[in-house]
Each structure stands twice: as C-alpha cells, then as structure tokens.
C-alpha cells in the first residue's frame, strides 16, 4: 500500500440560549427546573389565533454577539416558518430565519498554544425559538414538557475551518467566554444553554490522489468533553470506513449520527428516505426587522473588550504568562477585578498569584465572583504590596486574604498581629537566633564551611532550623543573608 | 395545459403535513390543487422586473415588546385540553427519532 495521509475538517453549528427574562415571542418566563408545563401560554402552546411579538432584548443580544463575531448585520431581516413535526414544538413549525440571517460573514479568533491565535470563519448567525423537551419513558409513550419552547436561541454556523478535535473544543470554550463577557447568556453547559453539532469529514491523500470522505453531522452534543471526543472518534471511524469501502463524498451521502456516551461511539441515526423538507416560508404573524444605523450603533456601544483580546493584552501589558492571563480572563468579573487591584497599586504578577491561588478558590467555595468576596481591590493591593515589602510571606498573604474574607471589617493590621503573620526581618533579633542554631548544629555548620557537595543541603537545613525556632515567621531572605555572612 | 401537480406530489405533501388521504381524496385534491396552481400561474404574466420581493403584506417593521415576564397559564390550565397527560406532562405516542 502506498503512502496515506489525512487531515480532519470540522465546521460547527452552535446553539446558544439567550438569558432574556421572557421568551422570544411571548411573556412566559425562561425556566430551568420548574414544574413541567408551568411556564407556558397560548402563544408557545401554538393555540389558533394567537399572535407572537418579538422580544426586543433577544434581538439586541443576538446582534451584540453577531457584532462581536465581526458579522455583517443585515439591514433587513425577517422571520420564517420551518415545518417541523415533533410534539416538542406544538405549532408544527419553528420560527427561525432562513434566507436572511441577522448576521453573516464574520470570524472568531481562538487561542492556540504559545499565545498564537487562529481565525475561524463564521458563515451566519440567526435567531430562532427553542423547542420543548421530549422525555422518553420506559412505557410505550413519550412525555412532553413545553417550558423550554419559545426560549430565544441563537444559532451560529462556522466555516469548516477547524482541523482538530482540540481546536473544536477551543472554539466552543472561546464562544462560551465571549457570550458570558457580553452578558447575553449564562452559557451553563449543565443547563443545556449551549449545544453543539459538528460537521466532520476527512481529506485523505492516498498514492498522491486526494479523497474526501462523506460529511457526518453529529447531533446535539452538550458538553465540551463529548464534543471533543466525538470528533476524535469520528475521525478514526471515517478513516477505517474509507479504507474498507473507499466511499467518498457525493450528492446526498451526508449522514447524521448521534453520540452514545456509554460506548463512546457515534451511532448512525435512522436515515430518512428523502432529504428533510422544511418548506420554509415567511411567517405572516411577524413583521420584518430593519436595523437602522442609529440602533446598530447603540448596540455596538455595548460591546466590551473581547476575552481573547484581553488575554493577549494582559500578557503584553502586565507581563503575565499566557496561562495566567487565560485564568484571569476566563470570567469578565475576575479580569476586571484584577485590573482594579493593579490600579490600586498592586504589582501585576503578585496580584495574579493572590487572585488565582486564594481569591478564585474562596469565590468558588462561596459560589460568587472575586468581586463579591467583600474584599476590596485596595485590600488585595495592600496584601500584595506587603508581600513585596517583605512584611508577609506568600503563604501568610493567602492566609490574610482567607481571614479577611471571614471577617471583612477587621483591619489587616489586626489580622496580621492576631495570627502572627508578620515576617521577622529585624537583623539584630534574627542574628541571635542564627547564632544559637550555629552553636546547636556543629555538624551541619562543618558541612557548609567545608564547601563539599553536602554544603547546599546543610545550609537549607540551618535555614529550616531558624524557621522552626521562629514558628515560620522569619523572613527567609534575611536569614539566608545572615547565614551567608556568618558561614561564608 | 398539463396538470400543475400530480398525485405523487399530492401524496408527498400530504405525508409531510401528516394528512392521511384515501386514493379518492388524493385524486380529488390533485384536480383541485392543479386548478388553483393554474390560476396562480396567471401572475407570471405580470412584469415584476423592478418589484422587490415582499416579506410581509403590511408596510411596517420593527414591532417589539419589552422583555417583561407575564404570567403563564400554569400546568393545570396548560394540560386542560391535552388528549392525554402523564402527571405534569403531555403524553404522546412514543417518539422514535428526533431531528
């Protein structure tokens, strides 16, 4: 057999639930976990004679994302009915946007390793309504809960620009970070706020000839892990299948597969005899939408610095590692709080350590953001500077923050004092202790002064003895200097 | 003039609309639908070179509502007209495949 090379090509369809208060076309509250069928009205029930009316906020949220994705916003757009015969949408059609999506032709930048980024094209972004939920019971029937029916859903379709499962995951995570920054979706995976459908195929070069395998769409993936895994699994499966059958992409041989999480495989979904016929047509119940300049500019003014841009800036401006910058910019509130602490005088790297080592941990325990810990940016800056000034050790600083979170009204001077957090840096006082340690440990002293290979270890031992005698309060830098001087 | 729609197409559209037609009905509707489509064909005589497609018959756009919550029906009222229910759920024939 001749040489064989292949690469995977993936495009992604993403559905994002927007976090409006009410549904897309009626006043029912969005819900999660409420009693089934309690958040339903005649409009989302599809009763005859009802009139859907657009939720302006949903439209603005959708446009905000489209702008962040650098899409061209349609001057004129409309709503279409997509025929759909499943009981989770009782109207028998879904209100969607067919030929005039509100956004098209954009891109998203995703982070790769070592601070590099890659641009993934966005084909379109449009708004539609979510369906309800069909629940499959053990019995010979299904249950339907329509609480979710009518929830505003933003659909984003990317170009097939991703070339690995890891890139697909990165794009999904970046999009989650983006919609959270924009405040348009909680993007909580556990609550199904984001769902993915990757389109996957391989480009195989065999004996100098290029082949494309048939495209497979994997439906309804709702976690980053499963999304990434399904692409990996599909990559291998398509390669095996190609080697066995030699089938290549052709008219009408795109298939749909589902994910079987127990066996970690994709499963062919029953193929319909004919291509789905959605019979789209303009919805006569809804009037078109025109995006006038002024309105668009108003929405544009609500854009913020996007997370990927902020991450890159944090590396440039604060000389943080790409990893640290990524952690700090994961949530908008953390990134903004970090900058407030730096503005209050904290040194960036030290502040970053404090926030990532203790701030985020505390916030996570309390289920809030770092900004909501009752510890002010000024507090963090003070502790950070006290470490830089030698007053606190790094671990003492973490301890001080933890204690401050428990008792925000207590001043740091008291917290430091009560918990013996202040490092002893007084040379005279430390010299006495060092001298005592030297007298008590002649063997170690000899090892140091003889300069042999045990010298370094012995010096650390002596330092450890001093730390023990001072209950960890001695400033190790000062102690080392004294030891060097006395034994050097 | 040839019929605008044949029985195969009528049966396909009926299937898509989940309508169960008898052979007699399919034949009857094929004739009726053809007549309607022939009538619609007349519109092709108009010159529409400079006419924009119409998305809506009303000359208005941007009718919105504020994002405010209104009271929903509640589970009991919602299920009141359901042919079958199972607790707080609508009960429907088993769904075998999903879109």
């Amino acid at each position: 057999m001749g040489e064989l090379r292949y690469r995977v090509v993936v495009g992604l369809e993403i559905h994002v639930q927007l976090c409006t208060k009410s549904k897309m076309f009626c006043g029912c509250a969005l819900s999660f976990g409420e009693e089934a069928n309690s958040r339903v009205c005649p409009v989302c029930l599809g009763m005859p004679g009802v009139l859907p009316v657009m939720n302006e906020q949903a439209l603005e949220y959708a446009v905000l994302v489209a702008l962040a994705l650098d899409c061209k916003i349609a001057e004129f757009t409309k709503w279409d009915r997509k025929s759909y015969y499943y009981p989770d949408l009782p109207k028998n059609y879904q209100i969607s946007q067919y030929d005039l999506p509100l956004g098209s032709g954009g891109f998203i930048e995703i982070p790769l390793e070592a601070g590099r980024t890659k641009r993934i094209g966005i084909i379109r972004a449009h708004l539609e309504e979510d369906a309800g939920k069909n629940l499959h019971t053990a019995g010979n029937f299904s249950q339907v809960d329509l609480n979710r029916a009518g929830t505003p859903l933003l659909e984003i379709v990317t170009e097939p620009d991703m070339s690995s499962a890891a890139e697909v995951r990165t794009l999904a995570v970046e999009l989650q970070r983006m919609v959270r920054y924009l405040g348009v979706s909680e993007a909580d995976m556990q609550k199904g706020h984001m769902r993915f459908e990757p389109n996957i195929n391989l480009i195989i070069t065999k004996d100098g000839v290029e082949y494309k395998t048939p495209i497979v769409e994997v439906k309804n993936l709702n976690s980053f892990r499963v999304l990434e895994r399904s692409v990996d699994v599909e990559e291998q499966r398509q390669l095996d299948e190609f080697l066995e059958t030699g089938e290549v992409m052709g008219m009408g041989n795109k298939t749909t597969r589902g994910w079987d999480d127990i066996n970690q495989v994709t499963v062919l979904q029953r193929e319909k005899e004919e291509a789905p016929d959605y019979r789209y047509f303009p919805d006569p119940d809804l009037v078109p939408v025109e995006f006038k300049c002024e309105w668009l500019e108003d929405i544009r003014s609500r854009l913020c610095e996007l997370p990927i841009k902020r991450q890159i800036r944090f590396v440039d401006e604060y000389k943080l590692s790409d990893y640290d910058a990524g952690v700090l910019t994961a949530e908008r509130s953390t990134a903004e709080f970090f900058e407030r602490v730096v503005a209050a005088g904290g040194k960036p790297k030290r502040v970053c350590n404090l926030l990532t080592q203790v701030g985020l941990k505390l916030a996570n325990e309390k289920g809030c953001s770092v900004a909501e810990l009752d510890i002010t940016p000024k507090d963090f800056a003070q502790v950070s500077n006290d470490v830089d000034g030698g007053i606190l050790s790094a671990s003492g600083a973490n301890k001080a923050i933890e204690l401050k979170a428990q008792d925000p009204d207590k001043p740091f001077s008291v917290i430091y004092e009560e918990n013996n957090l202040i490092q002893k840096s007084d040379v005279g006082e430390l010299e006495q202790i060092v001298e005592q340690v030297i007298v008590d440990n002649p063997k170690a002293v000899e090892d140091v002064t003889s300069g042999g290979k045990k010298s370094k270890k012995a010096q650390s031992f002596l330092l450890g003895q001093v730390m023990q005698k001072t209950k960890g309060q001695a400033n190790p830098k000062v102690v080392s200097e004294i030891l060097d001087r006395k034994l050097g | 003039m040839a019929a605008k729609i044949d029985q195969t197409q009528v049966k396909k559209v009926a299937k898509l609309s989940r309508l169960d037609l008898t052979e007699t009905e399919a034949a009857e509707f094929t004739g009726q639908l053809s007549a309607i489509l022939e009538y619609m064909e007349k519109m092709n005589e108009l010159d529409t070179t400079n006419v924009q497609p119409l998305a809506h018959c009303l000359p208005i756009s941007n009718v919105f509502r504020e994002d405010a919550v209104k009271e929903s029906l509640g589970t009991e009222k919602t299920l009141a007209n359901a042919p079958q229910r199972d607790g707080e759920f609508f009960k429907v024939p088993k769904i075998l495949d999903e879109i």
Side-chain angles (χ1 to χ4, degrees):
Chain A
M1 200 173 92
E3 191 197 6
L4 184 140
R5 281 177 293 125
Y6 72 93
R7 61 193 169 89
V8 66
V9 178
V10 191
L12 195 58
E13 222 180 277
I14 307 111
H15 284 98
V16 184
Q17 269 188 18
L18 302 176
C19 60
T20 47
K21 297 187 194 80
S22 63
K23 290 187 179 179
M24 185 66 231
F25 298 109
C26 65
C28 288
L30 296 202
S31 73
F32 180 80
E34 275 83 14
E35 183 187 10
N37 295 305
S38 60
R39 299 282 178 86
V40 184
C41 74
V43 173
C44 48
L45 259 179
M47 291 291 181
V50 295
L51 192 65
V53 186
M54 284 176 267
N55 181 338
E56 185 171 20
Q57 181 75 83
L59 210 67
E60 293 190 342
Y61 279 173
V63 170
L64 199 57
V65 178
L67 286 172
L69 293 170
D70 216 57
C71 283
K72 187 179 175 303
I73 307 297
E75 284 168 36
F76 178 95
T77 182
K78 64 179 171 65
W79 301 98
D80 300 288
R81 292 184 177 184
K82 180 184 184 181
S83 301
Y84 172 101
Y85 281 96
Y86 283 91
D88 54 6
L89 258 188
K91 290 196 298 297
N92 282 353
Y93 58 84
Q94 178 189 31
I95 303 174
S96 182
Q97 298 189 290
Y98 178 51
D99 54 342
L100 298 172
L102 61 86
S104 57
F107 67 87
I108 181 171
E109 207 108 39
I110 62 167
L112 302 180
E113 73 290 346
R116 290 189 307 118
T117 60
K118 178 173 175 176
R119 199 174 263 214
I120 307 292
I122 300 292
I123 297 174
R124 59 185 280 158
H126 76 252
L127 199 50
E128 57 189 32
E129 56 176 342
D130 206 347
K133 278 183 190 167
N134 295 326
L135 296 111
H136 308 291
T137 58
N140 198 27
F141 59 90
S142 295
Q143 294 174 325
V144 184
D145 172 12
L146 295 175
N147 280 353
R148 197 179 66 179
T151 299
L153 197 62
L154 180 64
E155 178 175 316
I156 299 165
V157 184
T158 80
E159 296 278 1
D161 286 347
M162 285 154 284
S163 44
S164 72
E167 272 183 27
V168 176
R169 183 198 179 102
T170 304
L171 177 125
V173 172
E174 191 56 34
L175 202 63
Q176 181 193 45
R177 192 159 71 146
M178 178 189 278
V179 294
R180 284 181 173 170
Y181 262 59
L182 296 172
V184 303
S185 175
E186 290 169 42
D188 185 334
M189 310 299 296
Q190 258 87 47
K191 293 183 180 170
H193 292 162
M194 278 181 100
R195 277 125 50 196
F196 308 100
E197 287 167 0
N199 276 257
I200 309 158
N201 78 329
L202 303 181
I203 296 180
I204 299 174
T205 313
K206 193 181 160 197
D207 303 327
V209 185
E210 195 174 272
Y211 304 91
K212 291 177 180 171
T213 59
I215 295 177
V216 165
E217 179 168 339
V218 186
K219 301 299 273 187
N220 246 326
L221 304 172
N222 53 14
S223 79
F224 296 135
R225 178 188 61 81
V226 161
L227 172 63
E228 185 175 15
R229 187 88 188 104
S230 73
V231 174
D232 270 335
V233 164
E234 197 48 38
E235 184 179 322
Q236 191 57 48
R237 194 197 63 76
Q238 289 189 21
L239 182 64
D240 293 345
E241 186 173 88
F242 174 77
L243 293 175
E244 199 181 307
T245 68
E247 189 185 0
V248 294
M249 188 198 292
M251 278 297 283
N253 72 348
K254 175 176 165 173
T255 50
T256 305
R257 302 180 76 90
W259 176 250
D260 174 349
D261 202 45
I262 295 166
N263 298 304
Q264 299 280 298
V265 290
T266 62
V267 184
L268 185 66
Q269 294 192 335
R270 195 165 67 98
E271 295 192 61
K272 308 212 165 55
E273 295 133 48
E274 46 211 291
D277 190 341
Y278 295 124
R279 291 170 297 151
Y280 282 101
F281 69 96
D283 192 326
D285 285 345
L286 290 155
V287 297
V289 180
E290 287 180 83
F291 291 107
K292 307 263 162 47
C293 246
E294 253 173 57
W295 187 21
L296 270 188
E297 284 320 302
D298 178 34
I299 300 174
R300 195 188 298 276
S301 71
R302 293 173 228 166
L303 280 172
C304 61
E305 184 182 35
L306 295 177
I308 182 95
K309 291 263 180 316
R310 187 167 283 175
Q311 183 175 345
I312 293 168
R313 180 169 64 80
F314 275 20
V315 172
D316 286 348
E317 192 173 331
Y318 302 120
K319 310 295 172 220
L320 299 175
S321 70
D322 194 50
Y323 175 81
D324 281 342
V327 175
L328 288 177
T329 55
E331 300 282 342
R332 184 176 174 178
S333 62
T334 311
E336 287 174 357
F337 191 77
F338 165 79
E339 293 209 281
R340 283 163 63 201
V341 181
V342 173
K347 289 220 175 74
K349 177 64 188 159
R350 183 73 68 198
V351 173
C352 168
N353 289 347
L354 270 183
L355 288 180
T356 55
Q357 286 165 15
V358 64
L360 287 175
K361 193 186 96 191
L362 289 172
N364 194 30
E365 282 165 12
K366 291 196 173 183
C368 66
S369 73
V370 276
E372 292 161 338
L373 277 175
D374 267 340
I375 307 179
T376 64
K378 228 178 128 202
D379 289 337
F380 268 101
Q382 184 188 336
V383 171
S384 158
N385 287 333
D386 285 345
V387 179
D388 287 323
I391 296 168
L392 295 175
S393 66
S395 62
N398 290 352
K399 183 94 187 141
I401 293 291
E402 274 173 27
L403 293 164
K404 184 75 172 171
Q406 285 165 21
D407 195 353
D409 293 329
K410 199 173 265 186
F412 277 119
S413 53
V414 180
I415 290 176
Y416 291 179
E417 203 62 49
E418 283 181 356
N419 299 281
N420 297 321
L421 296 178
I422 297 173
Q423 292 196 114
K424 286 194 170 48
S425 303
D426 181 80
V427 180
E429 188 186 344
L430 288 176
E431 246 183 40
Q432 285 181 11
I433 301 168
V434 171
E435 270 164 16
Q436 189 58 50
V437 167
I438 285 174
V439 171
D440 293 346
N441 300 281
K443 176 79 181 70
V445 171
E446 199 189 312
D447 285 344
V448 174
T449 46
S450 64
K453 53 181 177 182
K454 288 183 185 162
S455 159
K456 223 174 164 177
K457 212 175 155 194
Q459 173 128 2
S460 312
F461 171 76
L462 293 172
L463 173 62
Q465 290 298 304
V466 178
M467 296 309 285
Q468 213 172 54
K469 277 199 185 305
T470 58
K471 299 197 179 72
Q473 282 178 272
N475 183 335
K477 209 170 139 224
V478 177
V479 176
S480 288
E481 279 164 15
I482 299 173
L483 276 169
D484 281 346
R485 184 151 42 79
K486 295 217 174 283
L487 305 174
Chain B
M1 203 152 138
K4 287 286 154 211
I5 188 166
D6 60 31
Q7 277 206 38
T8 322
Q9 287 171 298
V10 169
K11 284 177 181 166
K12 186 189 164 194
V13 174
K15 192 181 163 204
L16 287 172
S17 311
R18 306 301 190 265
L19 292 173
D20 203 4
L21 299 187
T22 63
E23 285 297 321
T24 327
E25 282 170 331
E28 189 187 348
F29 295 146
T30 304
Q32 289 181 0
L33 286 167
S34 279
I36 292 168
L37 290 170
E38 264 163 44
Y39 181 67
M40 298 304 282
E41 188 93 318
K42 263 193 104 54
M43 298 236 238
N44 284 340
E45 290 167 20
L46 292 170
D47 178 10
T48 55
T49 321
N50 292 311
V51 180
Q52 288 292 313
L54 195 65
H56 200 275
C57 60
L58 298 177
I60 48 171
S61 59
N62 297 9
V63 176
F64 300 119
R65 60 181 187 85
E66 197 194 327
D67 181 23
V69 171
K70 280 192 185 164
E71 205 177 332
S72 301
L73 288 175
T75 305
E76 282 314 308
K77 270 191 184 163
T78 296
L79 293 172
N81 290 331
Q84 282 187 291
R85 63 183 283 181
D86 183 37
E88 63 202 43
F89 297 96
F90 289 93
K91 183 174 172 180
V92 299
K94 199 162 186 70
I95 299 152
L96 294 173
D97 59 344
E98 307 251 0
I99 287 188

